[in-house]
Amino acid sequence: MVTATALHLVLGDAVPKCLNGTLCRPTGGTDHAPPAGWPACCTEGRAFEPNGLERTPLRGWRSWQAFAADVDQQIMEDIMRGVAKRRPLGAGGAMVSLADMGYRDVGLDAGYEMVGQGYMGSCHTESGHMLINTTRFPSFKQMTGTAHALNLTASWYLNSDPCKGLNETAVGQTYRPDSEDAVRYGFDGVKFDSQPGGPNSNITEWAIALNATGKPMLIENCEDKNPLYLLTD
């Protein structure tokens, strides 16, 4: 996973710009390096460095493939215990768990949202905090605590597509409060989707907001819908 630290950029516009107003228009580049041809101020003070998390592809379990949006906290915690449970699956019938084999992350996809019940039909409060369906998920903190007690990690599908992008425009950008909430709830990673038409689809801004929390977080790019790490839309 790549992290970014920005000291000299103003993000949030369709095209990032330097503090002096110079527009940053990428003309190339890769996931691990700034694009060529940017003005110097666009990369000054910016570090594109791996944070050491998941140097190989992440392995684990996600709720969507099994339950789509019909999932709740009890299911998630039962899955966590199942992933950590040892069974005679090893060589010669040795007792091992899926976690022992490297499948250590349990991720929540859709199903937690209060779709359309937030500010102006969004999934957020007016101040930018995601509304959680506490009937299905009484305590995210307890759920992630269950994962940690089993030596697992827990991840969260944060800008989920059920929260339609156009409905989220009334709230505006929620990179910072969503990132802070992910840490407060105890999650170890977050997955982002394209959220068509929404104000929160820039992976760079997500990385900056997550880094600002002080907790290293794994970023998952859903189906590579955001192919470049540096986005301008």
Side-chain angles (χ1 to χ4, degrees):
M1 176 248 181
V2 179
T3 63
T5 301
L7 302 180
H8 300 278
L9 287 184
V10 177
L11 296 173
D13 298 323
V15 178
K17 60 186 178 183
C18 299
L19 295 180
N20 64 10
T22 301
L23 294 181
C24 300
R25 297 185 180 277
T27 58
T30 70
D31 289 353
H32 299 280
W38 278 30
C41 62
C42 295
T43 55
E44 182 184 5
R46 181 182 285 274
F48 294 84
E49 300 175 355
N51 67 2
L53 297 178
E54 298 299 335
R55 294 181 182 276
T56 57
L58 178 68
R59 290 186 290 176
W61 181 93
R62 277 208 165 272
S63 59
W64 182 261
Q65 283 71 19
F67 298 102
D70 190 18
V71 65
D72 58 27
Q73 183 169 333
Q74 185 63 57
I75 290 173
M76 292 297 296
E77 293 190 25
D78 285 346
I79 292 294
M80 291 170 182
R81 285 184 278 269
V83 169
K85 182 177 180 179
R86 289 188 167 90
R87 300 174 174 85
L89 302 175
M95 299 294 287
V96 296
S97 67
L98 289 172
D100 292 332
M101 296 178 178
Y103 297 89
R104 297 188 180 93
D105 185 75
V106 175
L108 171 64
D109 277 357
Y112 66 85
E113 310 92 335
M114 300 289 285
V115 176
Q117 298 186 45
Y119 178 69
M120 299 293 286
S122 72
C123 290
H124 288 79
T125 66
E126 186 174 2
S127 57
H129 296 277
M130 181 72 75
L131 291 173
I132 308 301
N133 185 334
T134 54
T135 300
R136 286 177 175 263
F137 294 91
S139 173
F140 271 175
K141 188 68 174 176
Q142 176 184 314
M143 185 180 77
T144 59
T146 296
H148 298 154
L150 295 167
N151 293 316
L152 304 174
T153 58
S155 53
W156 187 23
Y157 181 34
L158 188 47
N159 73 332
S160 65
D161 274 5
C163 298
K164 300 301 181 183
L166 292 178
N167 293 344
E168 296 299 312
T169 57
V171 180
Q173 294 186 349
T174 58
Y175 298 109
R176 180 174 178 178
D178 277 341
S179 296
E180 291 174 347
D181 286 346
V183 172
R184 179 167 59 88
Y185 291 140
F187 288 102
D188 306 289
V190 285
K191 186 178 85 170
F192 299 120
D193 216 328
S194 53
Q195 200 184 66
N200 300 293
S201 60
N202 189 310
I203 296 293
T204 300
E205 293 204 43
W206 280 117
I208 292 169
L210 288 163
N211 287 349
T213 68
K215 178 180 179 178
M217 296 281 277
L218 180 71
I219 291 179
E220 296 179 59
N221 181 359
C222 182
E223 296 182 350
D224 201 30
K225 293 178 182 177
N226 297 302
L228 288 180
Y229 180 66
L230 279 172
L231 299 183
T232 56
D233 57 10

